[in-house]
Amino acid sequence: MGQIRKKSIAHFSAALTSVVLAACGSNAPGIVPPGKNASVVIENESQYALRELRLHPRPPFLESTSVLKEAMGIRSSIVFYGSGSWYVTVFREKYKDGPVLAFTTSRAVVLERGHGYRLLVFDDSFRMTDEARWLDPQGAATPIAGDPDG
Amino acid sequence: MAVSTRFPQGLAAAALFCIVAPSNLACVAQRLALPRLVVDRPPAELPHVKLELTEFRVSNVSESDQAQDGRRAIERAFIGYLNQSLHLASLSRPIGVYSRRDPDAVELEVDLDVHETANRTIILDGIFFYPFLGSFPLTPLWGDATVELVWRIRHHGAAEGPFKVKVEAPYTVLVYSYYRTGPIEEAFRRGHETAFKELVDRLQARLALAPSPDSPAPDLTPREIRLRPVGVGVVTEPFQDTEPPGFLKRYFGALGGLEASLTGGSATVESTASARSGAGQLVASGNARSHGYRFSLYKPPSESGFFFPPALGFFSQTIDIAGFRQDVPLFVPRGTTAIPAMVSDPTTGAPVDLSEPIAYRLDLKSAYVGQGIGLNMVIGAQDVQFFSTARAGLNVAEYRHSDVTLYQSRVKGGSFALFQSGQLGAQVGFSFPAIHFAVRAAVEYEWFRAFSYPQPIEFLAAAAYNDEKKIYERQRVFVSGASLSTLDWQLSAVMLF
């Protein structure tokens, strides 16, 4: 009986610790470091794999480089850290084995420091939401681009 | 009750009459139409011969013959013709067993059989009956009126025969054939005339000789005579030349003639796919047109009837297939911001039209064997003939090869297909054999089901709302084949050999 009680206490302590750590990692509003760059979760909701993802402060995209190390699959995502105005450009095939085209946001995405955003990439448009919470780069499970500490 | 209130009784009666009338009004022809026998020469002198017509039997008479006592009339006509053609010692017609018989007389026994064949087109008759009015005029009915005479002679107990002559007279009723019997009766009339003449001529030849077994017998072998068609009718066998064939006809007649044609056509290719909604939809299509001219050999049909040509051929078509343009609505859920995309060339940054349909170049080929069926209808006389043909073919087996040019690559492949394609064709024309000329117009439709691509190729389905993503989008679909159809026409002039 004594051994069982000791094990239950140990499990409860571990669970409590993980909950506290998780709360710190997700950074609820009001406890976001104000000097940190905004986080943007960029999700590929299109029907195509994205060959390149470029974020650039001004159009055109020709002088910028892709933040992807490999093609971004359908339904996969990446977190970008930055602030200010950014244009987002993705490269994908028009159709299988067809020509590659560049899709650029028709206007800049404005990122405020300390905020979290979500940018969905569709076939021929983008959708921005600011309901997402700022993501701590330490707890992010997806690839990271940009400068979290800038 | 509902019918009686909305459909007055008078109209109901009229409709019933229209349904029943065409079938009841179909008249019955007289098969014992009396011949117009004209003796154009002096009667043969046989003063030593006494002839007794002991039997004159008639079979297969029609209802109309029975109603008009045609048996007696045709027998009287036969006896009259005998009287006019042969100058005999006596000609008698003993009736019954108590009739007085002359033992020295030659007994003649005749059996007359009359019957006919009848052919119709199903299609034109269908038009005639629809919608139960029986008013469409062009309802060809054609066939042969056949008169068959068998006779025997007996003299002093020695019997000879039976001797036989069969006469076929073609007839055609082109318009309102359900109401008219004149051409059929005219054909029987011609049949009786020829058969009676033939019988009397041969009887005269036989009676001119002394009726003894030692005498050399005249030609009394069975004979079949087919009369030439008279006037305009359905041509059921080729007209024979009345003059010896010329040089061209003799050496090139089998080839028909030299045809010069204006040609045109279009090919259509279509791909369908099942989108997320589950329903199949047309996602891509293509059309190619052609026109030109051609010289070839051609022989117009010379007789009516079915024919069964083999389908053996090679088909090749190069055609572009493309998706379709569509504006996709931009849906903005509450609390979000939609940002349209600018589409450009990744190497130059130049704007690109994203809605330009996806397109591929297809090079489709097929070598096939199959079986066809056709029906020729030739109507006319020796100098002018109208002809029409309807033809259908089914390709039993074929080898297909497809070559698809993608954006910067090509894929090729071949496959076998069974019962996956066929043809329909039709032509109408006029032939003027007397002046060695013909004109015609022809159309042919060819259809290939599911022409397989070497690999599935991509198109976009119609825009639909994706509830999961909360957006309108055009779903990517991959299709594995396309149906292909071609429609070709030609207008031709033919110089007949």
Side-chain angles (χ1 to χ4, degrees), chain A residues 45-49 54 59-62 74-75 87 91-109 119-120 122-131, chain B residues 276 328 330-331 333 335-349 352-354 356-360 406-409 455 458 460 468-471 473-476 478:
Chain A
E45 289 291 332
S46 76
Q47 302 178 81
Y48 307 85
R54 300 186 186 189
F61 54 84
L62 295 172
I74 296 168
R75 296 274 177 173
Y87 286 87
F91 286 13
R92 70 161 173 88
E93 285 182 333
K94 183 178 180 183
Y95 53 91
K96 187 175 185 296
D97 299 326
V100 176
L101 302 178
F103 296 76
T104 305
T105 52
S106 58
R107 56 183 172 76
V109 174
L119 180 68
L120 305 180
F122 293 113
D123 289 351
D124 53 4
S125 66
F126 299 85
R127 181 183 293 164
M128 188 77 171
T129 63
D130 55 3
E131 64 192 17
Chain B
R276 192 176 289 120
V328 182
L330 188 60
F331 182 72
T336 67
T337 304
I339 308 171
M342 297 182 302
V343 187
S344 56
D345 186 314
T347 56
T348 64
V352 171
D353 179 13
L354 178 65
E356 183 181 342
I358 300 171
Y360 307 91
L406 303 173
Y407 170 57
Q408 287 178 323
S409 61
Q455 68 180 43
E458 180 181 348
L460 295 176
E468 185 186 353
K469 298 180 183 177
K470 307 269 188 256
I471 197 168
E473 67 179 5
R474 297 184 66 182
Q475 186 192 346
R476 301 174 74 184
F478 291 85

Side-chain angles (χ1 to χ4, degrees), chain B residues 8 20 25 29 33 112 139 161 183 211 214 220 245 254-255 276 280 290 299 332 372 387 400 409 417 431 461:
Chain B
V20 175
L25 290 178
L112 171 64
T139 48
D214 300 332
L220 292 171
L255 300 176
R276 192 176 289 120
S290 65
K299 187 173 187 178
V332 186
F387 60 88
R400 292 173 169 180
S409 61
S431 176

Side-chain angles (χ1 to χ4, degrees), chain B residues 200-465:
Chain B
V200 171
D201 286 352
R202 300 173 86 179
L203 182 66
Q204 173 195 333
R206 179 66 191 88
L207 295 180
L209 300 169
S212 73
D214 300 332
S215 305
D219 180 17
L220 292 171
T221 53
R223 188 165 178 210
E224 294 192 3
I225 301 169
R226 181 166 179 79
L227 302 180
R228 294 171 69 92
V230 175
V232 175
V234 174
V235 182
T236 54
E237 59 185 40
F239 286 104
Q240 301 298 318
D241 288 328
T242 51
E243 299 173 358
F247 174 80
L248 280 177
K249 177 88 176 178
R250 199 180 321 143
Y251 292 100
F252 300 104
L255 300 176
L258 180 64
E259 180 181 59
S261 309
L262 277 175
T263 64
S266 67
T268 303
V269 64
E270 293 182 339
S271 280
T272 56
S274 297
R276 192 176 289 120
S277 61
Q281 59 176 273
L282 180 68
V283 294
S285 62
N287 189 270
R289 293 181 181 278
S290 65
H291 64 275
Y293 58 90
R294 182 173 62 198
F295 293 94
S296 57
L297 293 171
Y298 173 73
K299 187 173 187 178
S302 56
E303 59 186 316
S304 302
F306 284 98
F307 59 102
F308 303 92
L312 177 66
F314 177 75
F315 172 88
S316 177
Q317 180 73 51
T318 300
I319 189 171
D320 291 335
I321 186 170
F324 56 93
R325 285 180 181 271
Q326 189 179 28
D327 291 328
V328 182
L330 188 60
F331 182 72
V332 186
R334 187 185 299 273
T336 67
T337 304
I339 308 171
M342 297 182 302
V343 187
S344 56
D345 186 314
T347 56
T348 64
V352 171
D353 179 13
L354 178 65
S355 59
E356 183 181 342
I358 300 171
Y360 307 91
R361 170 146 293 187
L362 308 177
D363 188 5
L364 307 174
K365 293 182 173 65
S366 168
Y368 55 81
V369 293
Q371 182 60 53
I373 180 172
L375 175 62
N376 284 327
M377 176 66 81
V378 182
I379 298 173
Q382 180 135 19
D383 293 339
V384 184
Q385 292 153 24
F386 165 80
F387 60 88
S388 63
T389 304
R391 188 167 51 81
L394 176 66
N395 296 336
V396 176
E398 61 182 309
Y399 177 75
R400 292 173 169 180
H401 183 270
S402 54
D403 181 341
V404 181
T405 303
L406 303 173
Y407 170 57
Q408 287 178 323
S409 61
R410 290 173 66 179
V411 289
K412 301 176 183 178
S415 62
F416 285 96
L418 299 175
F419 301 103
Q420 294 289 305
S421 58
Q423 313 89 28
L424 291 173
Q427 68 168 355
V428 291
F430 284 94
S431 176
F432 307 91
I435 58 171
H436 299 276
F437 181 69
V439 290
R440 70 165 178 144
V443 63
E444 174 146 340
Y445 175 76
E446 202 162 10
W447 182 70
F448 295 85
R449 180 179 176 274
F451 222 114
S452 299
Y453 300 136
Q455 68 180 43
I457 62 176
E458 180 181 348
F459 291 103
L460 295 176
Y465 183 70

Side-chain angles (χ1 to χ4, degrees), chain A residues 83-86 107-112 117 128:
Chain A
S83 60
S85 295
W86 294 90
R107 56 183 172 76
V109 174
V110 180
L111 307 177
E112 289 187 32
Y117 300 91
M128 188 77 171

